[in-house]
PDB file of all heavy atoms in Angstrom:
ATOM      1  N   ILE A  27     -35.215 -98.716 -97.841  1.00 97.00           N
ATOM      2  CA  ILE A  27     -36.663 -98.891 -97.594  1.00 97.00           C
ATOM      3  C   ILE A  27     -36.952-100.369 -97.278  1.00 97.00           C
ATOM      4  O   ILE A  27     -37.747-100.635 -96.379  1.00 97.00           O
ATOM      5  CB  ILE A  27     -37.489 -98.338 -98.764  1.00 97.00           C
ATOM      6  CG1 ILE A  27     -37.260 -96.843 -98.920  1.00 97.00           C
ATOM      7  CG2 ILE A  27     -38.971 -98.661 -98.511  1.00 97.00           C
ATOM      8  CD1 ILE A  27     -37.884 -96.232-100.116  1.00 97.00           C
ATOM      9  N   ALA A  28     -36.292-101.269 -97.974  1.00 98.00           N
ATOM     10  CA  ALA A  28     -36.452-102.693 -97.649  1.00 98.00           C
ATOM     11  C   ALA A  28     -36.019-102.998 -96.188  1.00 98.00           C
ATOM     12  O   ALA A  28     -36.737-103.731 -95.487  1.00 98.00           O
ATOM     13  CB  ALA A  28     -35.713-103.568 -98.672  1.00 98.00           C
ATOM     14  N   ALA A  29     -34.875-102.467 -95.843  1.00 97.00           N
ATOM     15  CA  ALA A  29     -34.413-102.670 -94.461  1.00 97.00           C
ATOM     16  C   ALA A  29     -35.376-102.059 -93.456  1.00 97.00           C
ATOM     17  O   ALA A  29     -35.690-102.657 -92.448  1.00 97.00           O
ATOM     18  CB  ALA A  29     -33.002-102.133 -94.295  1.00 97.00           C
ATOM     19  N   ASP A  30     -35.852-100.811 -93.721  1.00 97.00           N
ATOM     20  CA  ASP A  30     -36.796-100.179 -92.817  1.00 97.00           C
ATOM     21  C   ASP A  30     -38.052-100.957 -92.727  1.00 97.00           C
ATOM     22  O   ASP A  30     -38.655-101.103 -91.604  1.00 97.00           O
ATOM     23  CB  ASP A  30     -37.081 -98.799 -93.307  1.00 97.00           C
ATOM     24  CG  ASP A  30     -35.920 -97.804 -93.162  1.00 97.00           C
ATOM     25  OD1 ASP A  30     -34.956 -98.142 -92.470  1.00 97.00           O
ATOM     26  OD2 ASP A  30     -35.983 -96.692 -93.759  1.00 97.00           O
ATOM     27  N   ALA A  31     -38.534-101.502 -93.832  1.00 97.00           N
ATOM     28  CA  ALA A  31     -39.747-102.332 -93.848  1.00 97.00           C
ATOM     29  C   ALA A  31     -39.533-103.581 -93.058  1.00 97.00           C
ATOM     30  O   ALA A  31     -40.459-104.079 -92.340  1.00 97.00           O
ATOM     31  CB  ALA A  31     -40.175-102.638 -95.285  1.00 97.00           C
ATOM     32  N   ALA A  32     -38.362-104.173 -93.142  1.00 97.00           N
ATOM     33  CA  ALA A  32     -38.067-105.421 -92.373  1.00 97.00           C
ATOM     34  C   ALA A  32     -38.110-105.098 -90.896  1.00 97.00           C
ATOM     35  O   ALA A  32     -38.642-105.915 -90.099  1.00 97.00           O
ATOM     36  CB  ALA A  32     -36.685-105.982 -92.771  1.00 97.00           C
ATOM     37  N   VAL A  33     -37.588-103.980 -90.458  1.00 96.00           N
ATOM     38  CA  VAL A  33     -37.685-103.559 -89.052  1.00 96.00           C
ATOM     39  C   VAL A  33     -39.117-103.355 -88.622  1.00 96.00           C
ATOM     40  O   VAL A  33     -39.510-103.764 -87.532  1.00 96.00           O
ATOM     41  CB  VAL A  33     -36.762-102.338 -88.813  1.00 96.00           C
ATOM     42  CG1 VAL A  33     -36.991-101.773 -87.422  1.00 96.00           C
ATOM     43  CG2 VAL A  33     -35.311-102.666 -89.030  1.00 96.00           C
ATOM     44  N   ALA A  34     -39.875-102.713 -89.489  1.00 96.00           N
ATOM     45  CA  ALA A  34     -41.276-102.440 -89.198  1.00 96.00           C
ATOM     46  C   ALA A  34     -42.077-103.756 -89.085  1.00 96.00           C
ATOM     47  O   ALA A  34     -42.929-103.899 -88.216  1.00 96.00           O
ATOM     48  CB  ALA A  34     -41.904-101.555 -90.257  1.00 96.00           C
ATOM     49  N   LEU A  35     -41.693-104.745 -89.935  1.00 96.00           N
ATOM     50  CA  LEU A  35     -42.309-106.084 -89.883  1.00 96.00           C
ATOM     51  C   LEU A  35     -42.016-106.735 -88.548  1.00 96.00           C
ATOM     52  O   LEU A  35     -42.890-107.309 -87.871  1.00 96.00           O
ATOM     53  CB  LEU A  35     -41.889-106.948 -91.054  1.00 96.00           C
ATOM     54  CG  LEU A  35     -42.405-108.378 -91.043  1.00 96.00           C
ATOM     55  CD1 LEU A  35     -43.913-108.416 -91.032  1.00 96.00           C
ATOM     56  CD2 LEU A  35     -41.825-109.076 -92.281  1.00 96.00           C
ATOM     57  N   ALA A  36     -40.757-106.678 -88.139  1.00 95.00           N
ATOM     58  CA  ALA A  36     -40.334-107.255 -86.824  1.00 95.00           C
ATOM     59  C   ALA A  36     -41.090-106.613 -85.696  1.00 95.00           C
ATOM     60  O   ALA A  36     -41.595-107.298 -84.818  1.00 95.00           O
ATOM     61  CB  ALA A  36     -38.839-107.158 -86.610  1.00 95.00           C
ATOM     62  N   ARG A  37     -41.217-105.282 -85.767  1.00 94.00           N
ATOM     63  CA  ARG A  37     -41.999-104.562 -84.724  1.00 94.00           C
ATOM     64  C   ARG A  37     -43.450-104.968 -84.710  1.00 94.00           C
ATOM     65  O   ARG A  37     -44.060-105.193 -83.660  1.00 94.00           O
ATOM     66  CB  ARG A  37     -41.861-103.081 -84.951  1.00 94.00           C
ATOM     67  CG  ARG A  37     -42.599-102.221 -83.888  1.00 94.00           C
ATOM     68  CD  ARG A  37     -42.383-100.719 -84.114  1.00 94.00           C
ATOM     69  NE  ARG A  37     -40.979-100.321 -84.080  1.00 94.00           N
ATOM     70  CZ  ARG A  37     -40.314 -99.828 -85.115  1.00 94.00           C
ATOM     71  NH1 ARG A  37     -40.939 -99.639 -86.255  1.00 94.00           N
ATOM     72  NH2 ARG A  37     -39.084 -99.512 -85.028  1.00 94.00           N
ATOM     73  N   ALA A  38     -44.029-105.113 -85.908  1.00 95.00           N
ATOM     74  CA  ALA A  38     -45.438-105.525 -86.016  1.00 95.00           C
ATOM     75  C   ALA A  38     -45.629-106.922 -85.442  1.00 95.00           C
ATOM     76  O   ALA A  38     -46.648-107.141 -84.740  1.00 95.00           O
ATOM     77  CB  ALA A  38     -45.849-105.483 -87.459  1.00 95.00           C
ATOM     78  N   LEU A  39     -44.726-107.830 -85.707  1.00 93.00           N
ATOM     79  CA  LEU A  39     -44.858-109.192 -85.177  1.00 93.00           C
ATOM     80  C   LEU A  39     -44.771-109.211 -83.691  1.00 93.00           C
ATOM     81  O   LEU A  39     -45.539-109.895 -83.001  1.00 93.00           O
ATOM     82  CB  LEU A  39     -43.794-110.098 -85.807  1.00 93.00           C
ATOM     83  CG  LEU A  39     -43.952-110.417 -87.330  1.00 93.00           C
ATOM     84  CD1 LEU A  39     -42.686-111.058 -87.840  1.00 93.00           C
ATOM     85  CD2 LEU A  39     -45.206-111.217 -87.578  1.00 93.00           C
ATOM     86  N   ARG A  40     -43.878-108.405 -83.147  1.00 93.00           N
ATOM     87  CA  ARG A  40     -43.714-108.343 -81.718  1.00 93.00           C
ATOM     88  C   ARG A  40     -44.980-107.685 -81.068  1.00 93.00           C
ATOM     89  O   ARG A  40     -45.455-108.209 -80.075  1.00 93.00           O
ATOM     90  CB  ARG A  40     -42.453-107.499 -81.294  1.00 93.00           C
ATOM     91  CG  ARG A  40     -42.201-107.502 -79.786  1.00 93.00           C
ATOM     92  CD  ARG A  40     -40.988-106.648 -79.397  1.00 93.00           C
ATOM     93  NE  ARG A  40     -41.214-105.259 -79.702  1.00 93.00           N
ATOM     94  CZ  ARG A  40     -40.514-104.533 -80.535  1.00 93.00           C
ATOM     95  NH1 ARG A  40     -39.460-105.053 -81.158  1.00 93.00           N
ATOM     96  NH2 ARG A  40     -40.789-103.254 -80.715  1.00 93.00           N
TER      97      ARG A  40
END
Side-chain angles (χ1 to χ4, degrees):
I27 297 171
D30 291 347
V33 172
L35 177 58
R37 182 178 300 117
L39 291 170
R40 186 181 64 241

